[in-house]
Structure formats: C-alpha cells, structure tokens
Amino acid sequence: MNLILISLITLGVTGLLAAVILFLVARKFKVEEDPRIDVVTEALPGANCGGCGFAGCRALAEACVKADSLDGLFCPVGGQETMKKVGDILGLTPAQSDPMVAVVRCNGTCEARPRTSQYDGSRSCKIMHSLYVGESACPFGCLGCGDCVAACQFGAITMNPETGLPEVDEERCTSCGACVKACPRNIIELRKKGPKSRRMVVMCVNKDKGAVARKACLNTCIGCGKCQKECPFDAITVENNLAYIDFNKCRLCRKCEAVCPTGAIHAINFPPRKQEEPKKEAAEPTEGQNNK
C-alpha cells in the first residue's frame, strides 16, 4: 500500500514540475502577436486556396499586417472589395488590380482531334501525361481527365461531354489559380477578364511545326504569323511555332481573328459579327419608263 502511495505521489510531483517548467518556458519564449492579424483574417473569405501566393488566409493576413504597403498583396477570391476592407483596417490603400479569369487554351475538340488510342489506367491527367502522349495524336492538348475540375473549390469548371474539354464558369471563377497548377500541360492560364469580359485568346499551346500540328488537330495554331503581321498594336508574338496574344497590349480589334486560317484565335464574349447585306440590284425600267 505504501509503495502504491509513493508511486502516486512521485507521479503527481513529476507532473507538477513538468507543468511549471512548461509554463516558465512558454512565458520566456512568448511571441507577442499583433491583434490586427485576427481582424484581417476575419475580413478575408477563408477559402485558404493559396491563390494569393501564401499558405492560407491567415498567412496573407500576417503579411498584410507586417507590410508597409499592400502592393503585391491581393486576395483573388475576395477581390478588390475585400482588399479595400483590409486596407481600411490597416490604414493602407490597396493597389488596383484588374479582374482575372481562368482560360482553357485548347480547342482540340473530339471532332478536330480524333482519338488514336484508348487509355485504361487511372483517370488522372497527371498520370496519363507522365505515361504517354494521350488518347489523341496531340502531345500538347487537353487530356480530358478533369484534374482541373477536381482542383477547383468553387465549382467553376466542368467537363463538356461533347467536346471533351473543360469549360470555365466566369461567374464562379475566383482566379485562385488552383486549376492552373493542376494542369500538367499548362493549358489553363489566368488572363484579364477585359472590358465587358471580352478578350482575344489563341486557343492552342501546340509548339510543333505547322504541318505536324495540323495532322494532330484541325483547330491548331500553325505559327504562320499572319495574326502578328495584322495586329496594329504589336500585341501578338510568334515563338516556337505558336502565336500568343499579350492581354496587356491587345485592344480587341479582332483583326487577328479574321486572318487566322485555322480558327485558332477566339474572340470571347463578343457579339456576333454583322454580316454585310448583299447589294440590291437596280430594278429594270418598265416599258413606260423606257418610253419616257
């Protein structure tokens, strides 16, 4: 009985000493945290998507509190309105940022890019990309397994069963960039939404030479350079047999779209072009008019 009692007392004293030591260590190495971090964290949407470049919303809040300026700090989910709230809390002016949206730069539909093989492995773009070219002959096009759909926390991406390509719902897209990171072929890009959500995009990332690329997909960019020559704003460059439109320079004139021989350049959210009405032929004069 005495042995059990001694053991209990020993354990109790040991636990008490450990608690005192931990308390003293915690007091000694205590780090004072700015209370504004909690306030800023509450103002953020709490998505923890990583689109801001930080591990989560609290990490972004800490960076904002420690910074002298909000330049380079932006929450893509909350947007400009959220950053204004953060600025009001910290007494700082947030930098203006244009709204962005995810764009799938591939138009290799099932019709334009016929299937050449069938993949029976795990339905993952990352796995398929590491194994071989894919189910079509295009080594650059969308693999269609939906890794981007799984990565999106906001339900902004769905797979179109007819085209086999992912589609972005612009109303739901927060430009967090999760889909961009999930795509192993770098097909998805964050671009400026543009005025009235209108933008010009080369819907292709194929860097093969024109003839090779054309055999793999009918809608491919062949790197002919006609769009580059036509653009009056120097917004288009052609490198590695592929055209690219700089959204910072593009003025949405649509001249490049008109000269593209394969239809690789798309004008997104533009109204349909007005077709010119055929000129009416002059009516033949009647017999009475001829007599006059």
Side-chain angles (χ1 to χ4, degrees), residues 76-231:
V77 178
Q80 201 67 39
E81 184 178 348
T82 295
M83 292 311 298
K84 186 178 184 304
K85 293 179 182 178
V86 173
D88 292 340
I89 294 170
L90 302 177
L92 300 173
T93 302
Q96 293 295 322
S97 179
D98 294 320
M100 307 287 281
V101 67
V103 176
V104 180
R105 294 182 56 214
C106 178
N107 193 37
T109 61
C110 298
E111 294 180 356
R113 191 174 46 141
R115 179 181 292 182
T116 57
S117 64
Q118 184 171 349
Y119 176 71
D120 293 326
S122 176
R123 296 304 296 178
S124 165
C125 296
K126 188 175 182 180
I127 295 175
M128 188 189 295
H129 176 68
S130 65
L131 293 176
Y132 79 131
V133 68
E135 294 182 316
S136 73
C138 179
F140 298 91
C142 175
L143 293 166
C145 294
D147 285 16
C148 53
V149 177
C152 182
Q153 300 182 37
F154 309 98
I157 305 182
T158 55
M159 296 298 298
N160 186 321
E162 294 183 2
T163 63
L165 298 172
E167 295 181 349
V168 178
D169 185 338
E170 296 184 15
E171 297 300 321
R172 292 186 176 185
C173 179
T174 62
S175 67
C176 68
C179 57
V180 177
K181 297 175 184 176
C183 181
R185 292 194 166 176
N186 301 316
I187 291 170
I188 305 178
E189 177 189 16
L190 293 181
R191 296 179 69 90
K192 286 184 180 179
K193 274 192 173 182
K196 296 182 181 180
S197 294
R198 296 174 183 174
R199 52 197 174 274
M200 303 296 300
V201 184
V202 179
M203 302 293 278
C204 182
V205 294
N206 196 326
K207 296 180 181 179
D208 284 333
K209 290 185 177 179
V212 177
R214 186 72 170 168
K215 286 181 180 179
C217 178
L218 297 177
N219 296 336
T220 187
C221 171
I222 58 176
C224 63
K226 289 184 178 180
C227 54
Q228 184 181 28
K229 295 176 182 177
E230 189 70 18
C231 180

